[in-house]
Amino acid sequence: MKVVLASPIADRAVEALRRDHDLVVAFGESGSLAGLISDREVLIFRSGVGISADLLKSAPHLQLAIRAGSGFDNIALDFCRDRGIRVARIPGPSSQAVAEFTLGLILSLSRRIAEAHDHMQQGEWPKHQLEGRLIAGKVLGVVGAGNIGKRVGELGALLGMRVVGCVEGPPEEHELVLAAKGITLTDFDTVVDQADILSVHVPLKDSTRHLIDSDVIHRMKPGSILVNTARGGVVDESAVLDGLKSGHLGAVALDVHEQEGDGRLSPLAGLPNVVLTPHIGGMAAESQEMIGRRVIELIDAFVHGRLEEVWTNDERLA
Ligand code: 3PG
C-alpha cells in the first residue's frame, strides 16, 4: 500500500512499514502532510496533526486512516464516512500508560515533588515549606470513567482513595463494572462537589469543550487538585488561572493544553503549584510498541480484506 506516516510511531513499526509498503514520512524535516498525501492509500497519525476535510479532499486515493492511539478529535470523521474512508483507532495500549501517568501527576502535586525538584535545582533546601498531603483517604473524582478513567479510578482505589466517577451512557451498563473496580458511579455535579482531586478523562467534542469552566472550578472544594490528561480544550485554562490565583484551586497538572506544540507558552507556566507536561501521557515505550504492532496488524487485515473480522468495536471509527 502507499502509506503516509504523519506522526512518529514505534521504530519497529516504521521498519515494517518500510519493508512491506511504499512509505513516505510527513513530519519533522521530511515534508508537509498536505504535500505528500495526494497519492496515498493509508494514513497513520496521532494527536497534533489536523486531519481536516480540506486535507482529505486532496487525498482522493485514501482508503484507510489509522489513529495510532485513542483520541480522535483531530480527524473529520463525517467526511471519512461520506467518502467511505475506513478509520481505526488503537485505544487499548495507551490506557495503562495514561492512567499511570495521571497517578504520577496526582502524586507529584500532592507531595509537591516537581516543586521540590525546582528548588533543589537552585541549591535550595526548603524541607519545612514543602509539606504535602496524603492521597489515601481523599476523594478522587473521575470525570469520564471510560477506558482510561476506569483504570485511574481503579489505581486510586488501590492506593486507599475513595473514588467517585461519572460516564456517559446508561448507568445500568456501567454501575457494576465500575463498582468492581472500587468506583462509585454518580453524576458529574456530585463528582465535582465531592472530589479532593478531580481527574478529567473525557474526549474533546462540542459537549465537552470547556466542561471544566469557572462555574465548575468554583464548585470544587477549596484547595482541591485538578488534573487533565484527556484533551486540551476540555478545561478552560483562563478559568484555571483565575482559580489558582485566587487560591481556590490548590494545584493543577495539565498534560494536554489549549495550545500545543513548540513555542507555545501555557498561561499557567511559572506558577509554583502547577505541573505542565507536553502531552506525554501515552508515551510509554511498551504502549507505543503495542500500538505499532497493532498498526501493522490492521493494515495487514485491510490488505487481505479482513478488517471487519480483525478490528474491535473500540477500534472501529468509520
Ligand atoms: C491518546 O489519545 O491516545 C493520548 O492522548 C496520546 O496521544 P498521542 O498518541 O498523540 O501521544
Side-chain angles (χ1 to χ4, degrees), residues 46-48 67-71 94 98 229-231 256 279 281-283 288:
R46 291 173 62 181
S47 64
R67 193 321 187 187
S70 181
S94 41
V98 178
T229 56
R231 273 298 173 275
V256 288
H279 201 148
M283 291 296 292
Q288 291 304 321

Side-chain angles (χ1 to χ4, degrees), residues 150-151 153-155 157-158 163 171-185:
K150 216 160 44 192
R151 187 72 184 130
E154 189 177 16
L155 294 173
L158 289 169
V163 187
E172 54 280 9
E173 275 181 28
H174 297 291
E175 197 158 4
L176 286 178
V177 176
L178 294 179
K181 298 188 180 297
I183 306 166
T184 304
L185 179 65

